[in-house]
Amino acid sequence: MNPYPDWLNAGDNAWQLVAATLVGLMSIPGIAVLYGGLVQKKWAVNTMLMAFTGFSLVLVAWVLWEFKMGFGEPLKLGPGVLQSAVGKPGPILGADNQHQASIPLLDAGMPKFRFSESTLAYFQFVFAAITPLLFLGSVIGRINFKVWLLFVPLWSTFAYAVNAFLVWGGGFWAQPHAGAIKAWTTGALDFSGGYVIHLAAGTSGFVAAAVIGPRLARDRQHAVPNNLPLAAIGAGILWLGWNGFNGGDPYFAGTNASLAVLNTNLATGAALLTWVIWDMFVSRERKPTFLGAINGMIAGLVAITPAAGFVNSFGALIIGVVASSLVWMSWNWLGRTRLFQKVDDTLGVVHTHGVAGLAGGLLVGVLADPHIILYQGNGKDAADVTAAGWLWGHHPFQILIQLGAALSIIAWDALITFAILRFLGLFMKLRAPDDVLELGDVAIHQEEAYPDESLVAGRVG
């Protein structure tokens, strides 16, 4: 007996499952304990529960209809971009998911997958699951928990699945386009989700924060983290989990996966140090902070995500320094402007994910190196698969392609986030009542992260 079909490679299959598990750990417990440690003590349980429920909600929706929407056959809704905007929804339940995986619109342009559809579905699920968890950081401290339970599957369906198909599933932005602009010979480059995940999270989080409204004034003024060591654990899980985030996206356990992991860590280390230097020499206090280091780390992780397998390691270093500097300026200077003071983005997701994702995506257009090989050709009729940007590939038009994809995601995600929340607001309150916001976890869940004796005694009685 042979446990392996002829098309399956045990190494590729094992790496995809391990990489997916690393990405899953970034959500639970990574995001749960990072955000749970960064918020006020009274919101720790609420934050962690929203992370766990969000992860679960996306999983159910993913296997019932979303996976096919992001990576299946196109649902042809009309001309132009509508011809390839989203896939046909459908389930992947039953026994028919042990066959060789494929992404129909990309099947002819890349090597055949060496693992099953169930592996591909789980790998892509963990990316879908972490995205709403990221912009949870924008609305912590006031969103109605029941609204969260409805918003997540709706947003994942109408925003994330569309983004994924457009960029990763062979949709409009994944396709080369000839004709009026002959220089458009490749699609948008987003290696692991700088646009599909992080720009989307930053955009949707900012819009959601604006629609739902700010926290209580007292909470905004005294937004002190309740447990920095717990946040450090979450941040560390995020950093090392990102090895699966970027290392798994070549879909093969080859040399490009190794380069993506190296670039990920290099850019992140450079970004963390860059933020600390900005804090020491330019900030008002002129002091290094651990919160600043976490922000720099996240900025580096996010910015290298769209580029990890397209740039050389010098490019990764540039991305870490430049993106961290831009996000620091956005956080400390742009964040003090009237608009950003009015919109209460609790954990600054628009900066660390939105700005960093946009910066990294545009820098791919500058720094993509055609000498970096994604997939080897056969030396005869199939050439090596590479990507070219402006600096090393003399292909400046790639920057405009990157910009076009970014603007479309910003516009669509802002619109769909606004529409979903306004729809839900027709029959339920988007915010928890003020008396509930005063108490936080105790009022919503009858639990505390750090319970005192009176609460424990009360529950036992």
Side-chain angles (χ1 to χ4, degrees):
M1 292 183 289
N2 182 4
Y4 301 109
D6 292 340
W7 46 263
L8 188 140
N9 179 282
D12 287 345
N13 192 51
W15 171 235
Q16 290 305 124
L17 292 173
V18 169
T21 301
L22 289 171
V23 179
L25 287 170
M26 292 165 60
S27 292
I28 50 173
I31 289 291
V33 296
L34 172 62
Y35 285 4
L38 291 178
V39 298
Q40 292 170 288
K41 181 172 71 172
K42 69 177 183 177
W43 290 114
V45 172
N46 183 253
T47 299
M48 293 186 292
L49 183 57
M50 284 198 284
F52 275 75
T53 54
F55 192 84
S56 302
L57 286 163
V58 175
L59 176 56
V60 173
W62 193 251
V63 299
L64 288 177
W65 65 82
E66 287 181 10
F67 173 66
K68 292 295 187 181
M69 289 181 68
F71 297 91
E73 296 286 351
L75 180 64
K76 298 179 181 180
L77 298 172
V81 65
L82 296 177
Q83 190 77 354
S84 54
V86 69
K88 297 176 183 178
I92 53 169
L93 302 175
D96 189 32
N97 54 13
Q98 290 185 298
H99 58 79
Q100 187 172 10
S102 70
I103 301 174
L105 293 185
L106 299 181
D107 194 46
M110 63 183 299
K112 300 294 183 183
F113 290 138
R114 300 293 190 89
F115 44 79
S116 68
E117 182 182 72
S118 54
T119 297
L120 177 63
Y122 183 69
F123 179 77
Q124 289 298 342
F125 149 68
V126 290
F127 287 81
I130 198 172
T131 309
L133 270 57
L134 294 175
F135 67 68
L136 166 62
S138 297
V139 294
I140 290 170
R142 74 276 204 188
I143 188 172
N144 183 337
F145 184 75
K146 293 178 181 177
V147 168
W148 173 254
L149 296 180
L150 294 173
F151 178 79
V152 168
L154 288 171
W155 186 90
S156 187
T157 298
F158 294 108
Y160 184 86
V162 173
N163 296 339
F165 190 84
L166 283 172
V167 179
W168 289 340
F172 182 82
W173 285 111
Q175 300 169 5
H177 290 257
I181 304 177
K182 293 183 180 179
W184 190 347
T185 57
T186 186
L189 302 176
D190 185 7
F191 193 74
S192 295
Y195 285 175
V196 175
I197 295 172
H198 299 288
L199 181 58
T203 300
S204 295
F206 191 74
V207 172
V211 174
I212 294 172
R215 290 166 289 170
L216 296 176
R218 188 186 308 111
D219 288 347
R220 292 192 74 179
Q221 294 166 4
H222 301 285
V224 180
N226 75 86
N227 193 324
L228 280 180
L230 186 66
I233 293 171
I237 293 171
L238 242 64
W239 185 336
L240 295 182
W242 228 281
N243 289 339
F245 205 91
N246 289 342
D249 258 306
Y251 293 118
F252 300 90
T255 57
N256 192 253
S258 302
L259 178 65
V261 169
L262 176 62
N263 283 346
T264 297
N265 287 269
L266 179 59
T268 302
L272 185 151
L273 295 172
T274 298
W275 193 292
V276 170
I277 291 170
W278 276 98
D279 274 351
M280 291 173 65
F281 295 102
V282 184
S283 70
R284 292 177 177 179
E285 297 80 12
R286 300 293 198 275
K287 294 182 183 294
T289 66
F290 182 66
L291 282 178
I294 289 179
N295 285 334
M297 179 204 81
I298 293 174
L301 289 167
V302 170
I304 193 58
T305 291
F310 297 129
V311 300
N312 59 43
S313 293
F314 182 62
L317 194 63
I318 294 172
I319 287 173
V321 172
V322 172
S324 184
S325 298
L326 291 174
V327 176
W328 190 96
M329 295 175 195
S330 174
W331 185 289
N332 289 278
W333 297 343
L334 188 62
R336 295 194 178 104
T337 61
R338 184 176 179 181
L339 173 62
F340 285 85
Q341 287 292 310
K342 183 178 180 181
V343 178
D344 181 19
D345 181 357
T346 308
L347 298 182
V349 175
V350 71
H351 304 291
T352 53
H353 294 276
V355 173
L358 178 61
L362 294 178
L363 285 169
V364 176
V366 178
L367 299 169
D369 186 345
H371 298 99
I372 300 298
I373 299 173
L374 278 75
Y375 305 123
Q376 297 279 350
N378 60 17
K380 298 177 182 178
D381 55 341
D384 293 343
V385 176
T386 64
W390 178 26
L391 187 60
W392 279 286
H394 310 293
H395 182 35
F397 192 76
Q398 187 65 42
I399 300 172
L400 295 181
I401 300 172
Q402 299 299 110
L403 179 62
L407 292 176
S408 67
I409 286 177
I410 291 171
W412 175 249
D413 286 17
L415 174 64
I416 205 67
T417 301
F418 181 84
I420 292 172
L421 287 172
R422 285 302 187 197
F423 170 72
L424 294 176
L426 294 176
F427 54 89
M428 60 196 310
K429 297 290 186 182
L430 298 179
R431 293 167 56 87
D434 284 357
D435 59 333
V436 171
L437 297 183
E438 289 281 357
L439 295 174
D441 291 338
V442 175
I444 300 172
H445 308 293
Q446 199 59 34
E447 290 179 311
E448 280 186 313
Y450 313 101
D452 57 29
E453 291 184 2
S454 61
L455 177 61
V456 174
R459 292 195 64 186
V460 170

